[in-house]
Amino acid sequence: MVKIGDIELPDFPLLLAPMEDVSDPPFRALCKEQGADVVYTEFISSEGLIRNAAKSVKKLDIYEKERPVGIQIFGANLESMLQTIDIVERSNPDIIDINFGCPVKKVVSKGAGAGILKDICLMEKLTAEMVKRTNLPVTVKTRLGWDHNSIKIVEVAERLQDVGCKSIAIHGRTRAQMYKGDADWKPIAEVKNNQRMHIPVFGNGDVNSPERAKEMRDDYGLDGAMIGRASIGNPWFFKQVKHYFNTGEHLPEITIAERVEMAKRHLQMEIDWKESEMQGVLETRRHYATYFKGIPHFKEYRLKMVTSNSSKEVFDTFDEVLHKFG
């Protein structure tokens, strides 16, 4: 059993990574239903929250069926981050997660996300003060370091643990790599194997098949896997991994009917959550290429899905797909 604070999780839990414009409540709920053990919100700007920016506030929405759910926040200003804790607590999440890993320029340029990897002392201080501010478990998601020459993740993880961080998820790339090259899990294993570490250490980056998840568990000895891009348009990924763990075999391929049904549910959930047909249609577009990945001669249908502004047209296209390919 793995524990984040008092939250009990199964052995080698699978976590849905926080992903901007992806891990919103409808998608998190679908992933949870398909076996995700913990889900995280999109990352939320502390400055946006304290200014009451509508987009940031909307990201605080949580469905009960998602739990345990972590709200992830980012920022580099201590006072803003502490005010954010007070705002976030009103949404009653199970976990508050700090983003020390986002590599995007507009975040990094403000010293937030992966930008804070240049200032480990500030990283430690922010974590310590946030832990003091709340009774909820505070966790961290980060990267190996700023670049290859500044990897100090073993020391960083130890320092964060020592000020009260309850788990750490580490993406196996530096900020300089962005999402290029292969994720390196060896330094994450070094964190886990540090005799002083006693909080869960989760691996992230390139967990794109059940075999890779098993490798992270068995060969690297990590406490769990955080799944990001492999879940986009494929909320079944969590179920596929767990089935492989239990049986050593792959689940049968997801049928066209199952894909259509999931895409329909996803679209309707987005419309209901956004309370807007147009917003619901726009939010789900990025998932369609992967919901229907691998279907030959699919281009004209995908084009209709991603260019239509009418939910009826998209639902009709789903039915056409089912009729033609199902």
Side-chain angles (χ1 to χ4, degrees):
M1 184 177 65
V2 173
K3 290 183 75 174
I4 299 177
D6 293 330
I7 300 168
E8 296 183 356
L9 302 171
D11 286 339
F12 203 79
L14 304 178
L15 293 70
L16 173 66
M19 290 179 282
E20 180 68 355
D21 294 327
V22 175
S23 57
D24 59 13
F27 184 65
R28 296 196 306 263
L30 293 174
C31 290
K32 181 73 181 177
E33 181 186 287
Q34 296 296 322
D37 296 298
V38 183
V39 296
Y40 289 86
T41 65
E42 303 167 78
F43 65 84
I44 307 173
S45 163
S46 57
E47 302 299 332
L49 278 183
I50 63 177
R51 290 197 312 270
N52 203 33
K55 186 176 181 185
S56 295
V57 173
K58 185 69 174 168
K59 290 180 181 178
L60 293 173
D61 287 356
I62 291 173
Y63 296 147
E64 280 302 308
K65 58 188 171 186
E66 298 178 55
R67 296 187 183 279
V69 57
I71 289 179
Q72 190 190 70
I73 54 178
F74 73 92
N77 178 279
L78 177 58
E79 192 51 46
S80 296
M81 292 289 270
L82 292 179
Q83 287 182 52
T84 298
I85 290 266
D86 300 339
I87 297 167
V88 165
E89 281 188 329
R90 291 177 213 145
S91 291
N92 195 27
D94 303 287
I95 297 163
I96 295 178
D97 189 72
I98 314 172
N99 182 312
F100 289 146
C102 176
V104 176
K105 187 176 180 180
K106 70 177 182 180
V107 173
V108 168
S109 64
K110 295 171 184 167
I116 213 162
L117 287 164
K118 289 181 170 181
D119 189 346
I120 305 306
C121 290
L122 177 59
M123 194 179 189
E124 181 182 0
K125 182 178 180 182
L126 278 174
T127 306
E129 294 303 317
M130 291 174 74
V131 167
K132 290 176 192 170
R133 187 78 162 216
T134 181
N135 292 320
L136 291 169
V138 173
T139 63
V140 163
K141 182 171 189 283
T142 189
R143 287 185 167 231
L144 299 179
W146 177 256
D147 57 26
H148 184 71
N149 297 320
S150 62
I151 295 177
K152 299 178 181 175
I153 191 62
V154 174
E155 174 196 341
V156 168
E158 196 174 289
R159 287 169 69 172
L160 295 177
Q161 171 185 264
D162 289 351
V163 296
C165 175
K166 297 302 185 189
S167 76
I168 185 166
I170 304 168
H171 183 103
R173 291 180 176 86
T174 62
R175 191 275 165 174
Q177 284 180 274
M178 299 295 284
Y179 293 99
K180 295 173 184 163
D182 295 328
D184 184 0
W185 298 348
K186 293 190 208 69
I188 312 176
E190 289 172 21
V191 173
K192 175 60 188 171
N193 293 330
N194 177 4
Q195 296 293 313
R196 286 205 64 239
M197 289 298 289
H198 54 78
I199 61 172
V201 177
F202 302 122
N204 176 230
D206 295 356
V207 186
N208 49 25
S209 69
E211 288 87 349
R212 288 289 273 159
K214 186 173 186 293
E215 183 184 352
M216 182 175 271
R217 183 190 70 177
D218 296 350
D219 297 350
Y220 289 83
L222 303 184
D223 291 304
M226 182 173 272
I227 314 294
R229 287 177 287 176
S231 68
I232 299 176
N234 184 22
W236 301 278
F237 187 77
F238 302 92
K239 183 167 73 171
Q240 291 164 341
V241 171
K242 290 186 172 181
H243 182 81
Y244 186 76
F245 281 178
N246 291 332
T247 67
E249 298 176 355
H250 287 271
L251 274 172
E253 190 171 338
I254 307 299
T255 66
I256 300 295
E258 289 172 311
R259 297 193 215 187
V260 167
E261 178 62 23
M262 186 69 79
K264 281 184 172 181
R265 288 182 60 208
H266 193 167
L267 175 53
Q268 189 59 56
M269 288 167 73
E270 289 286 357
I271 292 168
D272 294 344
W273 174 56
K274 288 287 190 178
E275 298 179 335
S276 161
E277 178 192 10
M278 174 68 83
Q279 285 299 310
V281 167
L282 293 175
E283 287 291 337
T284 37
R285 279 180 178 172
R286 74 193 73 248
H287 294 267
Y288 296 145
T290 37
Y291 268 133
F292 301 103
K293 188 175 182 179
I295 302 175
H297 314 298
F298 193 74
K299 187 175 179 181
E300 68 170 290
Y301 298 96
R302 184 167 60 247
L303 196 61
K304 279 202 265 188
M305 288 175 190
V306 300
T307 55
S308 174
N309 293 326
S310 156
S311 63
K312 183 182 184 308
E313 287 179 15
V314 179
F315 281 122
D316 286 346
T317 304
F318 290 153
D319 289 335
E320 286 179 47
V321 168
L322 185 59
H323 179 73
K324 182 172 177 65
F325 299 101

Coordinates of all heavy atoms in Angstrom, one line a residue, residues 235-303:
P235 N -8.6 7.2 -22.2 CA -8.8 7.0 -20.8 C -8.7 5.6 -20.3 O -8.6 5.3 -19.1 CB -10.2 7.6 -20.5 CG -10.9 7.7 -21.8 CD -9.8 7.9 -22.8
W236 N -8.8 4.7 -21.3 CA -8.7 3.2 -21.0 C -7.3 2.8 -20.6 O -7.1 1.7 -20.1 CB -9.1 2.4 -22.2 CG -10.5 2.6 -22.8 CD1 -11.6 2.1 -22.3 CD2 -10.8 3.5 -23.9 NE1 -12.7 2.5 -23.0 CE2 -12.2 3.4 -24.0 CE3 -10.1 4.3 -24.7 CZ2 -12.9 4.1 -25.0 CZ3 -10.8 5.0 -25.7 CH2 -12.2 4.9 -25.8
F237 N -6.3 3.7 -20.8 CA -4.9 3.3 -20.6 C -4.7 2.8 -19.2 O -4.0 1.8 -19.0 CB -4.0 4.5 -20.8 CG -2.5 4.2 -20.8 CD1 -1.9 3.6 -21.8 CD2 -1.8 4.5 -19.6 CE1 -0.6 3.3 -21.8 CE2 -0.4 4.2 -19.6 CZ 0.2 3.6 -20.6
F238 N -5.4 3.4 -18.2 CA -5.2 2.9 -16.8 C -5.7 1.5 -16.6 O -5.0 0.7 -16.0 CB -5.9 3.9 -15.9 CG -5.5 5.3 -16.0 CD1 -6.1 6.2 -16.9 CD2 -4.4 5.8 -15.3 CE1 -5.7 7.5 -17.0 CE2 -3.9 7.1 -15.4 CZ -4.6 7.9 -16.3
K239 N -6.8 1.2 -17.2 CA -7.4 -0.2 -17.1 C -6.5 -1.1 -17.9 O -6.3 -2.3 -17.4 CB -8.8 -0.2 -17.7 CG -9.5 -1.5 -17.7 CD -11.0 -1.4 -18.0 CE -11.2 -1.2 -19.5 NZ -12.7 -1.3 -19.8
Q240 N -5.9 -0.7 -19.0 CA -5.0 -1.6 -19.8 C -3.8 -1.9 -19.0 O -3.3 -3.1 -19.0 CB -4.6 -0.9 -21.1 CG -5.8 -0.7 -22.0 CD -5.5 0.3 -23.2 OE1 -4.7 1.1 -23.0 NE2 -6.3 0.2 -24.2
V241 N -3.2 -0.9 -18.3 CA -2.0 -1.2 -17.5 C -2.3 -2.2 -16.3 O -1.6 -3.1 -16.1 CB -1.4 0.1 -16.9 CG1 -0.3 -0.1 -15.9 CG2 -0.9 1.0 -18.0
K242 N -3.4 -1.9 -15.6 CA -3.8 -2.8 -14.5 C -4.1 -4.2 -14.9 O -3.7 -5.2 -14.2 CB -4.9 -2.2 -13.7 CG -4.5 -0.9 -13.0 CD -5.7 -0.4 -12.1 CE -5.1 0.8 -11.2 NZ -6.1 1.3 -10.3
H243 N -4.7 -4.3 -16.1 CA -5.0 -5.7 -16.6 C -3.7 -6.4 -16.9 O -3.5 -7.6 -16.6 CB -5.9 -5.6 -17.8 CG -6.2 -6.9 -18.4 ND1 -7.3 -7.7 -17.9 CD2 -5.7 -7.6 -19.4 CE1 -7.3 -8.8 -18.6 NE2 -6.4 -8.8 -19.5
Y244 N -2.8 -5.7 -17.5 CA -1.4 -6.3 -17.8 C -0.7 -6.7 -16.5 O -0.1 -7.7 -16.5 CB -0.6 -5.3 -18.6 CG 0.7 -5.8 -19.1 CD1 0.7 -6.7 -20.2 CD2 1.9 -5.5 -18.6 CE1 1.9 -7.2 -20.7 CE2 3.1 -5.9 -19.0 CZ 3.1 -6.8 -20.1 OH 4.3 -7.3 -20.6
F245 N -0.8 -5.8 -15.5 CA -0.1 -6.1 -14.2 C -0.7 -7.4 -13.7 O 0.0 -8.3 -13.1 CB -0.3 -5.0 -13.2 CG 0.6 -3.8 -13.4 CD1 0.4 -2.7 -12.6 CD2 1.5 -3.8 -14.4 CE1 1.3 -1.6 -12.7 CE2 2.4 -2.7 -14.5 CZ 2.2 -1.6 -13.7
N246 N -2.0 -7.6 -13.8 CA -2.7 -8.7 -13.1 C -2.6 -10.0 -13.9 O -2.6 -11.1 -13.3 CB -4.2 -8.4 -12.9 CG -4.4 -7.3 -11.9 OD1 -3.6 -7.1 -10.9 ND2 -5.4 -6.5 -12.0
T247 N -2.5 -9.9 -15.2 CA -2.6 -11.1 -16.0 C -1.3 -11.4 -16.9 O -1.1 -12.5 -17.4 CB -3.8 -11.1 -17.0 OG1 -3.6 -10.0 -17.9 CG2 -5.1 -10.8 -16.2
G248 N -0.5 -10.3 -17.1 CA 0.6 -10.5 -18.1 C 0.1 -10.4 -19.5 O 0.9 -10.6 -20.5
E249 N -1.2 -10.1 -19.7 CA -1.7 -10.1 -21.1 C -2.3 -8.7 -21.4 O -2.7 -8.0 -20.4 CB -2.8 -11.2 -21.2 CG -2.2 -12.6 -21.1 CD -3.4 -13.6 -21.1 OE1 -4.5 -13.2 -21.2 OE2 -3.0 -14.8 -21.1
H250 N -2.5 -8.4 -22.6 CA -3.1 -7.2 -23.0 C -4.6 -7.3 -23.1 O -5.1 -8.4 -23.5 CB -2.6 -6.7 -24.4 CG -1.2 -6.2 -24.4 ND1 -0.9 -4.9 -24.1 CD2 0.0 -6.8 -24.5 CE1 0.4 -4.7 -24.1 NE2 1.0 -5.8 -24.4
L251 N -5.3 -6.3 -22.7 CA -6.8 -6.3 -23.0 C -7.0 -6.3 -24.5 O -6.2 -5.8 -25.3 CB -7.4 -5.0 -22.4 CG -7.8 -5.0 -20.9 CD1 -8.2 -3.6 -20.5 CD2 -8.9 -6.0 -20.7
P252 N -8.2 -6.9 -24.9 CA -8.5 -6.8 -26.3 C -8.5 -5.3 -26.8 O -8.8 -4.4 -26.0 CB -9.9 -7.4 -26.4 CG -10.0 -8.3 -25.2 CD -9.2 -7.6 -24.1
E253 N -8.3 -5.1 -28.0 CA -8.2 -3.7 -28.5 C -9.6 -3.1 -28.3 O -10.7 -3.7 -28.5 CB -7.9 -3.8 -30.0 CG -7.6 -2.4 -30.6 CD -7.1 -2.5 -32.0 OE1 -6.5 -3.5 -32.4 OE2 -7.2 -1.5 -32.7
I254 N -9.6 -1.8 -28.0 CA -10.9 -1.1 -27.8 C -11.6 -1.0 -29.1 O -11.1 -0.7 -30.2 CB -10.6 0.4 -27.3 CG1 -9.7 0.4 -26.1 CG2 -11.9 1.1 -27.1 CD1 -10.2 -0.3 -24.9
T255 N -12.9 -1.4 -29.1 CA -13.7 -1.5 -30.3 C -14.1 -0.1 -30.8 O -14.1 0.9 -30.0 CB -15.0 -2.3 -30.1 OG1 -15.8 -1.6 -29.2 CG2 -14.6 -3.7 -29.6
I256 N -14.5 0.0 -32.1 CA -15.0 1.3 -32.6 C -16.2 1.7 -31.8 O -16.4 2.9 -31.5 CB -15.4 1.1 -34.1 CG1 -14.2 0.7 -34.9 CG2 -16.0 2.4 -34.6 CD1 -13.0 1.7 -35.0
A257 N -17.1 0.8 -31.5 CA -18.3 1.1 -30.7 C -17.9 1.7 -29.3 O -18.5 2.7 -28.9 CB -19.2 -0.1 -30.5
E258 N -16.9 1.2 -28.7 CA -16.5 1.7 -27.4 C -15.8 3.1 -27.5 O -16.0 3.9 -26.7 CB -15.5 0.7 -26.7 CG -16.1 -0.6 -26.2 CD -15.0 -1.6 -25.8 OE1 -14.0 -1.8 -26.5 OE2 -15.1 -2.1 -24.7
R259 N -15.1 3.2 -28.6 CA -14.5 4.6 -28.8 C -15.5 5.6 -29.1 O -15.4 6.7 -28.5 CB -13.5 4.5 -30.0 CG -12.3 3.5 -29.9 CD -11.3 3.8 -30.9 NE -10.6 2.6 -31.4 CZ -9.6 2.6 -32.2 NH1 -9.2 3.7 -32.7 NH2 -9.1 1.5 -32.6
V260 N -16.5 5.3 -29.9 CA -17.6 6.2 -30.2 C -18.3 6.6 -28.9 O -18.6 7.7 -28.7 CB -18.5 5.7 -31.3 CG1 -19.8 6.5 -31.4 CG2 -17.8 5.6 -32.6
E261 N -18.7 5.6 -28.2 CA -19.4 5.8 -26.9 C -18.7 6.7 -26.0 O -19.3 7.6 -25.4 CB -19.8 4.4 -26.3 CG -20.5 4.5 -24.9 CD -21.9 5.2 -25.1 OE1 -22.5 5.1 -26.2 OE2 -22.4 5.7 -24.1
M262 N -17.4 6.5 -25.8 CA -16.6 7.3 -24.9 C -16.5 8.7 -25.4 O -16.6 9.7 -24.6 CB -15.2 6.7 -24.7 CG -14.3 7.4 -23.7 SD -14.9 7.1 -22.0 CE -14.2 5.5 -21.7
A263 N -16.2 8.9 -26.7 CA -16.2 10.2 -27.3 C -17.5 11.0 -27.1 O -17.5 12.2 -26.8 CB -15.8 10.1 -28.8
K264 N -18.6 10.3 -27.3 CA -19.9 10.9 -27.1 C -20.1 11.3 -25.6 O -20.5 12.5 -25.4 CB -21.0 9.9 -27.5 CG -21.3 9.8 -28.9 CD -22.5 8.8 -29.1 CE -22.9 8.8 -30.6 NZ -24.1 7.9 -30.8
R265 N -19.8 10.5 -24.7 CA -19.9 10.8 -23.3 C -19.0 12.0 -22.9 O -19.4 12.9 -22.2 CB -19.5 9.6 -22.4 CG -20.6 8.5 -22.5 CD -20.1 7.3 -21.5 NE -20.0 7.8 -20.2 CZ -19.2 7.3 -19.3 NH1 -18.4 6.3 -19.6 NH2 -19.1 7.8 -18.0
H266 N -17.8 11.9 -23.4 CA -16.9 13.0 -23.1 C -17.4 14.4 -23.6 O -17.4 15.4 -22.9 CB -15.5 12.7 -23.8 CG -14.4 13.5 -23.3 ND1 -13.1 13.3 -23.6 CD2 -14.3 14.7 -22.6 CE1 -12.3 14.2 -23.0 NE2 -13.0 15.1 -22.5
L267 N -17.9 14.4 -24.9 CA -18.4 15.6 -25.4 C -19.6 16.1 -24.6 O -19.7 17.3 -24.3 CB -18.8 15.4 -26.9 CG -19.5 16.6 -27.6 CD1 -18.7 17.9 -27.5 CD2 -19.8 16.3 -29.1
Q268 N -20.5 15.2 -24.3 CA -21.7 15.7 -23.5 C -21.3 16.2 -22.1 O -21.9 17.2 -21.6 CB -22.7 14.5 -23.4 CG -24.1 14.9 -22.8 CD -24.7 16.0 -23.6 OE1 -25.0 15.9 -24.8 NE2 -25.0 17.2 -23.0
M269 N -20.4 15.5 -21.5 CA -19.9 15.9 -20.2 C -19.3 17.3 -20.2 O -19.4 18.1 -19.3 CB -18.9 14.9 -19.6 CG -19.6 13.6 -19.1 SD -18.4 12.3 -18.8 CE -17.7 12.8 -17.2
E270 N -18.5 17.6 -21.3 CA -17.9 18.9 -21.5 C -18.9 20.0 -21.7 O -18.8 21.1 -21.1 CB -16.9 18.9 -22.7 CG -15.7 18.1 -22.5 CD -14.6 18.8 -21.6 OE1 -14.9 19.9 -21.1 OE2 -13.6 18.1 -21.3
I271 N -20.0 19.7 -22.5 CA -21.0 20.7 -22.7 C -21.7 21.0 -21.4 O -22.0 22.1 -21.0 CB -22.0 20.1 -23.7 CG1 -21.4 20.1 -25.1 CG2 -23.3 21.0 -23.8 CD1 -22.2 19.3 -26.2
D272 N -22.0 19.9 -20.6 CA -22.7 20.1 -19.3 C -21.9 20.9 -18.4 O -22.4 21.8 -17.6 CB -23.1 18.7 -18.7 CG -24.1 18.0 -19.6 OD1 -24.7 18.6 -20.4 OD2 -24.2 16.7 -19.4
W273 N -20.5 20.6 -18.3 CA -19.7 21.3 -17.3 C -19.5 22.7 -17.7 O -19.6 23.6 -16.9 CB -18.3 20.5 -17.3 CG -17.3 21.3 -16.4 CD1 -17.5 21.6 -15.1 CD2 -16.0 21.7 -16.8 NE1 -16.3 22.3 -14.7 CE2 -15.4 22.4 -15.7 CE3 -15.3 21.7 -18.0 CZ2 -14.1 22.9 -15.7 CZ3 -14.0 22.2 -18.0 CH2 -13.4 22.8 -16.9
K274 N -19.2 23.0 -19.0 CA -19.0 24.3 -19.5 C -20.3 25.1 -19.6 O -20.3 26.4 -19.7 CB -18.3 24.3 -20.8 CG -16.9 23.9 -20.8 CD -16.0 25.0 -20.2 CE -14.5 24.6 -20.4 NZ -13.7 25.7 -19.9
E275 N -21.5 24.4 -19.5 CA -22.8 25.0 -19.7 C -22.8 25.9 -21.0 O -23.3 26.9 -21.1 CB -23.1 25.9 -18.5 CG -23.2 25.1 -17.2 CD -23.6 26.0 -16.0 OE1 -23.3 27.2 -16.1 OE2 -24.1 25.5 -15.1
S276 N -22.1 25.3 -22.0 CA -22.0 25.9 -23.3 C -21.7 24.9 -24.4 O -20.7 24.2 -24.3 CB -20.9 27.0 -23.3 OG -20.4 27.3 -24.6
E277 N -22.6 24.9 -25.4 CA -22.4 23.9 -26.5 C -21.0 24.2 -27.2 O -20.2 23.3 -27.4 CB -23.5 24.0 -27.5 CG -23.3 23.0 -28.7 CD -24.3 23.3 -29.8 OE1 -25.0 24.4 -29.8 OE2 -24.3 22.5 -30.7
M278 N -20.8 25.4 -27.5 CA -19.6 25.8 -28.2 C -18.3 25.5 -27.4 O -17.4 24.8 -28.0 CB -19.6 27.3 -28.6 CG -18.3 27.8 -29.2 SD -18.0 27.2 -30.9 CE -19.0 28.3 -31.8
Q279 N -18.3 25.8 -26.2 CA -17.1 25.5 -25.3 C -16.9 24.0 -25.2 O -15.8 23.5 -25.2 CB -17.3 26.2 -23.9 CG -17.1 27.7 -23.9 CD -15.7 28.1 -24.4 OE1 -14.7 27.5 -23.9 NE2 -15.6 29.0 -25.3
G280 N -18.0 23.3 -25.0 CA -17.9 21.8 -24.9 C -17.3 21.2 -26.2 O -16.4 20.3 -26.1
V281 N -17.7 21.7 -27.3 CA -17.2 21.2 -28.6 C -15.7 21.5 -28.7 O -14.9 20.7 -29.1 CB -18.0 21.8 -29.8 CG1 -17.3 21.6 -31.1 CG2 -19.4 21.3 -29.8
L282 N -15.3 22.8 -28.4 CA -13.9 23.2 -28.5 C -13.0 22.4 -27.6 O -11.9 22.0 -27.9 CB -13.8 24.7 -28.2 CG -14.4 25.6 -29.2 CD1 -14.3 27.1 -28.8 CD2 -13.8 25.5 -30.6
E283 N -13.5 22.1 -26.3 CA -12.7 21.5 -25.3 C -12.3 20.0 -25.7 O -11.3 19.5 -25.3 CB -13.4 21.4 -24.0 CG -13.5 22.8 -23.3 CD -12.1 23.2 -22.8 OE1 -11.2 22.4 -22.6 OE2 -11.9 24.5 -22.6
T284 N -13.2 19.3 -26.4 CA -13.0 17.9 -26.7 C -12.2 17.7 -28.0 O -11.7 16.6 -28.3 CB -14.3 17.1 -26.8 OG1 -15.3 18.0 -27.4 CG2 -14.8 16.8 -25.4
R285 N -12.0 18.7 -28.8 CA -11.4 18.5 -30.1 C -10.0 17.8 -30.1 O -9.7 17.0 -30.9 CB -11.2 19.9 -30.8 CG -12.4 20.3 -31.5 CD -12.2 21.7 -32.2 NE -13.4 22.1 -32.9 CZ -13.5 23.3 -33.5 NH1 -12.5 24.2 -33.4 NH2 -14.6 23.6 -34.1
R286 N -9.2 18.2 -29.1 CA -7.8 17.7 -29.0 C -7.8 16.2 -28.8 O -6.8 15.5 -29.0 CB -7.0 18.4 -28.0 CG -7.4 18.0 -26.5 CD -6.8 19.0 -25.5 NE -7.5 20.3 -25.5 CZ -7.0 21.4 -25.9 NH1 -5.7 21.4 -26.4 NH2 -7.7 22.5 -25.9
H287 N -8.9 15.6 -28.3 CA -8.9 14.2 -28.0 C -9.3 13.3 -29.2 O -9.0 12.1 -29.2 CB -9.9 13.9 -26.9 CG -9.6 14.5 -25.6 ND1 -8.8 13.8 -24.6 CD2 -9.8 15.8 -25.1 CE1 -8.6 14.6 -23.6 NE2 -9.2 15.8 -23.8
Y288 N -9.9 13.9 -30.2 CA -10.4 13.0 -31.3 C -9.4 12.2 -32.1 O -9.6 11.1 -32.5 CB -11.3 13.8 -32.2 CG -12.5 14.4 -31.5 CD1 -13.0 15.6 -31.9 CD2 -13.2 13.7 -30.5 CE1 -14.1 16.2 -31.3 CE2 -14.3 14.3 -29.9 CZ -14.8 15.5 -30.3 OH -15.9 16.0 -29.6
A289 N -8.2 12.9 -32.3 CA -7.2 12.2 -33.1 C -6.8 10.9 -32.4 O -6.5 9.9 -33.1 CB -6.0 13.1 -33.3
T290 N -6.8 10.9 -31.1 CA -6.3 9.7 -30.4 C -7.5 8.8 -30.1 O -7.3 7.5 -30.0 CB -5.6 10.0 -29.1 OG1 -6.1 11.2 -28.5 CG2 -4.1 10.3 -29.4
Y291 N -8.7 9.3 -29.8 CA -9.9 8.4 -29.7 C -10.0 7.5 -30.9 O -10.4 6.3 -30.7 CB -11.2 9.2 -29.5 CG -11.5 9.6 -28.1 CD1 -11.9 10.9 -27.8 CD2 -11.5 8.6 -27.1 CE1 -12.3 11.2 -26.5 CE2 -11.9 8.9 -25.8 CZ -12.3 10.2 -25.5 OH -12.6 10.5 -24.2
F292 N -9.7 8.0 -32.1 CA -9.9 7.2 -33.3 C -8.6 6.9 -34.0 O -8.6 6.7 -35.2 CB -10.9 8.0 -34.2 CG -12.2 8.2 -33.5 CD1 -12.5 9.4 -33.0 CD2 -13.1 7.1 -33.4 CE1 -13.8 9.6 -32.4 CE2 -14.3 7.3 -32.7 CZ -14.7 8.6 -32.2
K293 N -7.5 6.9 -33.2 CA -6.2 6.6 -33.8 C -6.1 5.2 -34.4 O -6.6 4.3 -33.9 CB -5.1 6.7 -32.7 CG -3.7 6.7 -33.2 CD -2.8 6.9 -32.0 CE -1.3 6.9 -32.5 NZ -0.4 7.2 -31.3
G294 N -5.4 5.2 -35.6 CA -5.2 3.9 -36.2 C -6.3 3.4 -37.2 O -6.1 2.3 -37.8
I295 N -7.4 4.2 -37.3 CA -8.4 3.7 -38.2 C -8.0 4.2 -39.6 O -7.8 5.4 -39.8 CB -9.8 4.3 -37.8 CG1 -10.2 3.9 -36.4 CG2 -10.8 3.9 -38.8 CD1 -11.4 4.5 -35.9
P296 N -7.9 3.3 -40.6 CA -7.5 3.7 -41.9 C -8.6 4.6 -42.6 O -9.8 4.4 -42.3 CB -7.3 2.4 -42.7 CG -8.1 1.4 -41.9 CD -8.1 1.8 -40.5
H297 N -8.1 5.5 -43.5 CA -9.0 6.3 -44.3 C -10.0 7.1 -43.4 O -11.2 7.2 -43.7 CB -9.8 5.5 -45.3 CG -9.0 4.5 -46.0 ND1 -8.0 4.9 -46.9 CD2 -9.0 3.1 -46.0 CE1 -7.4 3.8 -47.4 NE2 -8.0 2.7 -46.9
F298 N -9.5 7.6 -42.3 CA -10.3 8.3 -41.3 C -10.3 9.8 -41.5 O -11.0 10.5 -40.8 CB -9.9 7.9 -39.9 CG -10.9 8.3 -38.8 CD1 -12.1 7.6 -38.7 CD2 -10.6 9.4 -38.0 CE1 -13.0 8.0 -37.7 CE2 -11.5 9.7 -37.0 CZ -12.7 9.0 -36.9
K299 N -9.4 10.3 -42.3 CA -9.1 11.8 -42.3 C -10.3 12.6 -42.5 O -10.5 13.6 -41.8 CB -8.1 12.1 -43.5 CG -7.6 13.5 -43.5 CD -6.6 13.7 -44.6 CE -6.1 15.1 -44.6 NZ -5.1 15.3 -45.7
E300 N -11.3 12.3 -43.4 CA -12.4 13.2 -43.6 C -13.3 13.3 -42.4 O -13.9 14.3 -42.1 CB -13.2 12.7 -44.8 CG -14.0 11.4 -44.6 CD -14.9 11.1 -45.8 OE1 -16.0 11.8 -45.9 OE2 -14.7 10.1 -46.5
Y301 N -13.4 12.2 -41.6 CA -14.2 12.2 -40.4 C -13.6 13.0 -39.3 O -14.2 13.8 -38.6 CB -14.5 10.8 -39.9 CG -15.2 9.9 -41.0 CD1 -14.5 9.1 -41.8 CD2 -16.6 10.0 -41.1 CE1 -15.2 8.4 -42.8 CE2 -17.3 9.3 -42.0 CZ -16.6 8.5 -42.9 OH -17.3 7.8 -43.9
R302 N -12.2 12.8 -39.2 CA -11.5 13.6 -38.2 C -11.6 15.1 -38.5 O -11.8 15.9 -37.6 CB -10.1 13.2 -38.1 CG -9.3 13.9 -37.0 CD -7.9 13.3 -36.7 NE -7.1 13.3 -37.9 CZ -6.7 12.2 -38.5 NH1 -7.1 11.0 -38.1 NH2 -5.9 12.3 -39.6
L303 N -11.5 15.4 -39.8 CA -11.6 16.8 -40.2 C -13.0 17.4 -39.8 O -13.1 18.5 -39.3 CB -11.4 16.9 -41.7 CG -11.1 18.3 -42.2 CD1 -9.8 18.9 -41.6 CD2 -11.0 18.3 -43.8

